[in-house]
Amino acid sequence: METKTMFKIARDFSSEPFGRYPSDGPFNGEKFREDILRPLLSRYSIVTVDIDGTEGYGSSFLEEAFGGLVRKGYFTAEDLRHHLKISSHAAAFRTYVTSIWKYIDQASNDRATA
Amino acid sequence: MEFIHLVRDEIFIKRRRGLVLDFTPIQSISTDSALLLVSEMDRWRRATFQRRLRAINVDKWHPSVRTTLRDLGFFELLRLPNWLVGGNAEAPDGSKILKFRAGTGYGGKLAREVRIALEQIAGPIQTANFLHDGITEAMLNARHHAYPGDFRPEIPVIPEFWVTGAWHPAKRLLRIMVLDQGVGIPESIRQGTDPFHVKVMVWVAQKANLRNDADIIEGAMRTSRTSTGLAGRGHGFDNMAEFINNSADGRLRILSDRGEVVYEHGGTINTRLLPVSLGGTLIEWEVRL
């Protein structure tokens, strides 16, 4: 496994990530998870995702992209805390960092209680 | 709302021909009322090809009513030329309103267009990302829930949403609205079976016996703020409130069916049962920049 990589959503995926599913549009959370995030986490020991520079992030996109990693059983929350870093330098975007980890933890709790 | 119901009744139920609109007695019209009127005209234009609705005595309408409807795109729907509706005259109070945009919520580009158009009239919006998030949540709600397959409305609907914004410079007030003609949030939740809908109805049952539309919208809002055990669902209302929470002052208003819920900056929630149904959902953000 290679060591580390950084992925910048605004530059390398879309400046307008939107929705959960392909039926919502081309730059949806499921696509980001399945085509980008999951492969990177399987290939690199540390994946840093830079979230700055987009129009924003709806909860649907973030929950599907990040919470979905746990909800689908691909990784545990503990795995992600070791291997996933969320990077943001914009003050207004730091709330998304908190949200991402909230969705990951909620997905973990949901799996534990299911 | 009574007027909108009258228009719907005359056009779609009684199928009257030769209807005219004369707003001469009206002194003012709010942006949300104007958007509702525009969506009705859009519904008329696209759903009834044979009936012609006319506006008369437009030159006698109050200037603020005329400019609000003109800027929103109302007269374009009625195919009235710009010179007849006041040319490019500014609104008496200097307010600026965006021409409405309609869409299906695919892709999210519309949210960026609205943000750019708002910043052209109001200047930079420091918390624009939260505005984007709120608008996209409203769009996705309309897309996923407003027009379910078993929706059988009494009158034709256009399965889209309408968006506009307004800037009132004297008060430094920014307003953004997203409107749909769908089944409504309360009915969608009553009929829904996913964990979020069930949790909302449990909250409502504990609060009041009547389970009216306003209670259900409030339940959705409160459940969204504490959403766990919902398989990743139910964050939308919380997302919508973030623009208010991250502004100096403001409120989020949700009108759907007969319910109205207002979330104020600081967290207070007030509810009201309306005398008649909106026939869809209106989500409105109002913030002071």
Side-chain angles (χ1 to χ4, degrees), chain A:
Chain A
M1 186 177 267
E2 297 175 61
T3 309
K4 54 175 79 170
T5 189
M6 172 173 281
F7 187 91
K8 190 170 174 61
I9 292 181
R11 182 190 64 201
D12 300 324
F13 181 70
S14 173
S15 59
E16 300 161 358
F18 177 82
R20 283 186 183 272
Y21 308 121
S23 56
D24 292 331
F27 303 109
N28 59 86
E30 180 182 300
K31 179 181 174 70
F32 182 70
R33 182 188 69 229
E34 296 296 327
D35 294 359
I36 306 291
L37 205 47
R38 189 180 167 201
L40 285 177
L41 286 165
S42 298
R43 185 173 166 189
Y44 294 92
S45 58
I46 304 285
V47 175
T48 300
V49 178
D50 185 328
I51 63 171
D52 287 341
T54 66
E55 286 289 310
Y57 294 95
S59 60
S60 301
F61 176 88
L62 291 181
E63 202 290 324
E64 191 64 38
F66 294 94
L69 290 170
V70 176
R71 207 159 23 76
K72 294 284 187 182
Y74 301 148
F75 302 95
T76 65
E78 190 179 347
D79 289 336
L80 294 177
R81 289 206 181 271
H82 285 122
H83 299 294
L84 176 67
K85 308 294 176 198
I86 309 298
S87 166
S88 172
H89 299 289
F93 276 46
R94 295 214 186 106
T95 186
Y96 300 128
V97 179
T98 304
S99 294
I100 286 168
W101 290 110
K102 181 179 80 172
Y103 297 144
I104 288 171
D105 288 338
Q106 281 180 349
S108 180
N109 291 337
D110 289 349
R111 280 185 69 86
T113 56

Side-chain angles (χ1 to χ4, degrees), chain B residues 273-287:
Chain B
L273 189 64
L274 303 172
V276 293
S277 173
L278 180 72
T281 298
L282 174 73
I283 299 173
E284 178 187 15
W285 296 262
E286 182 180 282
V287 297

Side-chain angles (χ1 to χ4, degrees), chain B:
Chain B
M1 272 315 304
E2 285 83 357
F3 173 74
I4 293 295
H5 277 273
L6 181 66
V7 169
R8 289 173 185 166
D9 199 51
E10 293 293 318
I11 294 176
F12 297 104
I13 308 296
K14 295 177 183 168
R15 298 175 183 250
R16 291 219 199 271
R17 293 178 178 270
L19 288 174
V20 296
L21 292 174
D22 185 354
F23 289 161
T24 305
I26 297 175
Q27 296 298 301
S28 67
I29 185 168
S30 62
T31 313
D32 52 352
S33 300
L35 182 64
L36 197 53
L37 198 57
V38 160
S39 78
E40 288 304 314
M41 294 302 104
D42 206 13
R43 185 203 315 250
W44 156 77
R45 183 178 65 94
R46 291 200 255 174
T48 63
F49 299 100
Q50 282 95 39
R51 289 167 187 81
R52 186 162 174 254
L53 191 64
R54 294 182 299 125
I56 62 172
N57 295 327
V58 177
D59 57 326
K60 296 183 175 59
W61 296 12
H62 193 283
S64 70
V65 173
R66 199 167 56 230
T67 52
T68 294
L69 292 175
R70 179 202 65 199
D71 293 346
L72 201 47
F74 174 79
F75 295 114
E76 283 183 43
L77 290 173
L78 298 181
R79 301 193 192 106
L80 286 176
N82 202 39
W83 64 264
L84 190 65
V85 298
N88 295 320
E90 284 204 350
D93 64 352
S95 61
K96 296 185 189 301
I97 294 172
L98 298 185
K99 184 180 170 187
F100 83 92
R101 289 154 170 80
T104 60
Y106 182 80
K109 280 198 181 309
L110 188 53
R112 178 197 282 261
E113 287 177 17
V114 170
R115 191 266 302 165
I116 290 172
L118 283 171
E119 290 190 319
Q120 283 175 344
I121 62 174
I125 301 169
Q126 297 303 320
T127 52
N129 59 299
F130 296 115
L131 170 61
H132 163 273
D133 299 347
I135 293 175
T136 55
E137 281 300 340
M139 291 179 181
L140 283 169
N141 268 341
R143 182 176 179 76
H144 290 163
H145 303 298
Y147 308 101
D150 58 356
F151 181 36
R152 299 288 180 264
E154 200 178 36
I155 61 176
V157 297
I158 308 300
E160 295 183 358
F161 56 80
W162 291 258
V163 187
T164 190
W167 169 242
H168 304 283
K171 303 175 194 173
R172 294 200 60 75
L173 207 59
L174 183 69
R175 300 173 74 198
I176 305 96
M177 280 146 268
V178 180
L179 171 72
D180 70 62
Q181 298 175 348
V183 69
I185 294 168
E187 191 57 28
S188 177
I189 289 176
R190 281 191 193 97
Q191 301 297 330
T193 55
D194 74 39
F196 175 69
H197 294 155
V198 171
K199 199 162 184 177
V200 171
M201 292 309 294
V202 167
W203 183 91
V204 172
Q206 291 170 348
K207 179 182 186 279
N209 293 326
L210 296 176
R211 302 186 191 180
N212 65 46
D213 289 352
D215 288 334
I216 293 176
I217 301 169
E218 181 187 2
M221 203 176 267
R222 292 191 184 276
T223 301
S224 179
R225 302 176 76 184
T226 59
S227 51
T228 57
L230 301 176
R233 306 292 173 164
H235 301 281
F237 290 103
D238 204 27
N239 218 191
M240 287 185 211
E242 282 301 291
F243 185 44
I244 307 302
N245 293 335
N246 285 279
S247 298
D249 188 19
R251 64 176 198 167
L252 167 68
R253 184 166 75 123
I254 299 176
L255 281 84
S256 194
D257 295 343
R258 290 183 59 201
E260 179 186 38
V261 176
V262 178
Y263 172 88
E264 304 274 357
H265 184 274
T268 306
I269 295 177
N270 294 304
T271 66
R272 186 167 69 110
L273 189 64
L274 303 172
V276 293
S277 173
L278 180 72
T281 298
L282 174 73
I283 299 173
E284 178 187 15
W285 296 262
E286 182 180 282
V287 297
R288 201 171 304 279
L289 297 183

